[in-house]
């Protein structure tokens, strides 16, 4: 096969399914046959932006949550046999900077990122039938995992880190803002940690998922005030942590009104906006605002949890669409009437 289908991002509101040549893996790279790729909230964020961002310079193939098979090794590569089932860490870190040497590869000064233009270099992602990726990014899939579970390793690792960011001991009370895939998977980890969890959103289907995943209370913020629910739930004190998993500009200011003195606000959502902060909220109340970005090696941790049946999230995938029929998937997922939670593309 010399040509393949690829879903290509040309800018906000413009994603096209087109024919492209099958790429050749370069030195130190492997060619992967995509089996499934998950549509991430950040991919949808690029689609929704009012103008092109430096994070996604078109034309570019999006997609960084995937599983597939190694089908060819480039020059100097050969660690993985053809046919090896794989996922990958999409953080293409340098390995030599201050942060990499400390193991903080998610903060690498020179990082690029698969399926983005982070670091000034556009790297096509996995929303195509075949793609090249550097060999040292590859994560071999445990034999007990499905391809669909493999495609969830990346977002699960994000959520694992978010659930542990700024943790304040046992028996926490936590608000998760946003019941999209990241919010819902974060709920799974919080409940495993023994937390009481309130989840807010405006989509009933997603709030129903939150209840199924163990949320102690859900709040449809289109009809209820989150602050009223929180204060009732906590006896007027506020929650220990707020984890922001939705990119609503009002989320950060609202968080200060529901977190207790000495509590933590964890920002996971990629926030493409500016907000004003009152420093006295941080100083006089002892509140901390914490960013939780990506992960380091936690994909291996969540893979082990899945393999040992200590974690179940298969049902979060609400729709699977062949890549050949994916032309309108972004439009669908950004529609106000969309009730899908997690969508996978397959090839």
């Amino acid at each position: 096969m010399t040509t393949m289908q690829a879903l290509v991002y040309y800018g906000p509101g413009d994603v096209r399914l087109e024919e492209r040549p099958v790429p050749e893996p370069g030195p130190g790279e492997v060619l992967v046959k995509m089996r499934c790729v998950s549509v991430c909230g950040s991919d949808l964020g690029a689609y929704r932006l009012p103008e092109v961002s430096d994070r996604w310079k078109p034309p570019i193939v999006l997609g960084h949550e995937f599983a597939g098979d190694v089908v060819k090794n480039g020059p100097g590569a050969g660690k993985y046999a053809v046919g090896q089932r794989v996922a990958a860490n999409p953080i293409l870190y340098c390995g030599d900077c201050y942060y990499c040497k400390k193991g903080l590869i998610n903060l690498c000064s020179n990082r690029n990122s698969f399926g983005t233009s982070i670091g000034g270099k556009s790297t096509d992602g996995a929303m195509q039938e075949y793609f090249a990726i550097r060999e040292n990014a590859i994560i071999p899939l445990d034999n007990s995992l499905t391809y669909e579970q493999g495609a969830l390793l990346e977002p699960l690792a994000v959520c694992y880190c978010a659930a542990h960011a700024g943790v304040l001991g046992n028996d926490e009370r936590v608000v998760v803002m946003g019941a999209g895939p990241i919010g819902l998977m974060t709920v799974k980890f919080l409940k495993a940690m023994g937390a009481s969890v309130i989840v807010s959103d405006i989509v009933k289907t997603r709030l129903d998922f939150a209840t199924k995943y163990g949320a102690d209370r859900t709040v449809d913020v289109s009809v209820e005030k989150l602050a009223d629910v929180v204060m009732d739930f906590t006896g007027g004190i506020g929650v220990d942590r707020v984890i922001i998993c939705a990119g609503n500009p009002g989320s950060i200011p609202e968080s200060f009104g529901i977190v207790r003195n000495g509590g933590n606000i964890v920002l996971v959502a990629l926030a493409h906006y500016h907000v004003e902060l009152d420093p006295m909220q941080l100083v006089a109340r002892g509140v901390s605002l914490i960013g939780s970005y990506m992960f380091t090696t936690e994909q291996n941790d969540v893979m082990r949890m899945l393999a040992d049946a200590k974690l179940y999230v298969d049902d979060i995938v609400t729709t699977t669409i062949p890549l050949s029929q994916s032309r309108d998937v972004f439009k669908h997922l950004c529609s106000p009437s969309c009730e899908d939670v997690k969508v996978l593309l397959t090839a």
Side-chain angles (χ1 to χ4, degrees):
M1 181 179 291
T2 58
T3 62
M4 63 175 185
Q5 289 188 308
L7 194 61
V8 186
Y9 172 78
Y10 279 91
D14 187 1
V15 175
R16 309 173 197 173
L17 188 64
E18 58 187 41
E19 199 84 2
R20 284 191 164 191
V22 173
E24 278 292 320
E29 293 183 335
V30 297
L31 184 67
V32 174
K33 162 66 176 174
M34 184 270 282
R35 295 298 182 183
C36 58
V37 56
S38 168
V39 182
C40 176
S42 64
D43 300 324
L44 297 178
Y47 185 82
R48 290 191 186 105
L49 284 174
E51 58 187 26
V52 171
S53 165
D54 286 344
R55 293 180 67 91
W56 302 281
K57 294 179 181 177
I60 187 171
V61 177
L62 305 176
H64 55 274
E65 306 172 2
F66 71 86
D69 301 319
V70 173
V71 294
K72 187 175 183 179
N73 287 297
K79 183 177 179 180
Y80 303 105
V82 170
Q84 172 70 56
R85 301 164 66 250
V86 298
N89 187 330
I91 306 169
L92 305 179
Y93 56 91
C94 73
D96 295 321
C97 71
Y98 171 87
Y99 298 102
C100 285
K101 289 178 179 178
K102 285 186 170 293
L104 301 172
I105 60 170
N106 58 318
L107 304 179
C108 171
S109 300
N110 308 305
R111 70 182 182 275
N112 303 122
S113 186
F114 190 66
T116 79
S117 303
I118 291 173
K121 178 185 177 183
S122 291
T123 306
D124 281 338
M127 291 185 184
Q128 52 187 336
E129 291 182 87
Y130 296 89
F131 53 85
I133 187 169
R134 71 187 199 185
E135 182 183 55
N136 63 3
I138 290 294
I139 297 173
L141 281 186
D142 186 283
N143 288 334
S144 66
L145 264 65
T146 64
Y147 288 114
E148 291 77 12
Q149 290 172 323
L152 295 176
L153 292 182
E154 195 275 351
L156 280 168
V158 169
C159 298
Y160 180 90
C161 290
H164 288 83
V167 65
L168 292 168
N170 297 324
D171 302 319
E172 282 187 305
R173 294 178 291 193
V174 184
V175 163
V176 174
M177 287 184 165
I182 295 299
L184 290 171
M185 288 185 278
T186 299
V187 170
K188 279 275 190 177
F189 291 115
L190 288 170
K191 294 306 298 181
M193 295 161 62
S196 297
V197 182
I198 300 172
V199 179
S200 66
D201 205 292
I202 60 172
V203 180
K204 183 182 183 301
T205 303
R206 296 186 172 200
L207 291 173
D208 289 343
F209 258 94
T211 299
K212 183 166 70 170
Y213 280 17
D216 298 89
R217 180 72 157 83
T218 61
V219 183
D220 181 342
V221 292
S222 68
V223 297
E224 287 187 284
K225 289 186 178 180
L226 178 59
D228 291 345
V229 174
V230 168
M231 292 309 161
D232 180 65
F233 192 84
T234 62
I237 296 171
V239 291
D240 301 289
R241 282 192 294 159
V242 180
I243 303 179
I244 302 174
C245 299
N248 184 332
S251 298
I252 296 175
E254 186 176 17
S255 296
F256 282 99
I258 60 175
V259 71
R260 69 165 172 82
N261 293 347
N264 293 328
I265 299 169
V266 180
L267 183 58
V268 184
L270 295 177
H272 299 279
Y273 53 80
H274 295 274
V275 296
E276 290 187 2
L277 295 179
D278 177 3
M280 290 300 289
Q281 293 282 335
L282 303 175
V283 179
R285 293 186 57 208
V287 172
S288 296
L289 181 59
I290 300 168
S292 180
Y293 182 68
M294 298 291 285
F295 45 81
T296 55
T297 61
E298 284 78 10
Q299 283 172 289
N300 290 309
D301 297 328
V302 298
M303 179 161 57
R304 178 48 49 199
M305 292 178 195
L306 289 169
D308 292 343
K310 294 180 178 178
L311 179 65
Y312 178 79
V313 290
D314 293 26
D315 56 349
I316 204 169
V317 178
T318 49
T319 301
T320 300
I321 302 172
L323 181 66
S324 61
Q325 300 173 25
S326 66
R327 188 183 309 275
D328 296 323
V329 67
F330 277 67
K331 182 179 179 181
H332 163 69
L333 288 172
C334 292
S335 166
S337 61
C338 177
E339 295 188 347
D340 267 307
V341 179
K342 195 67 169 170
V343 170
L344 295 183
L345 308 181
T346 60

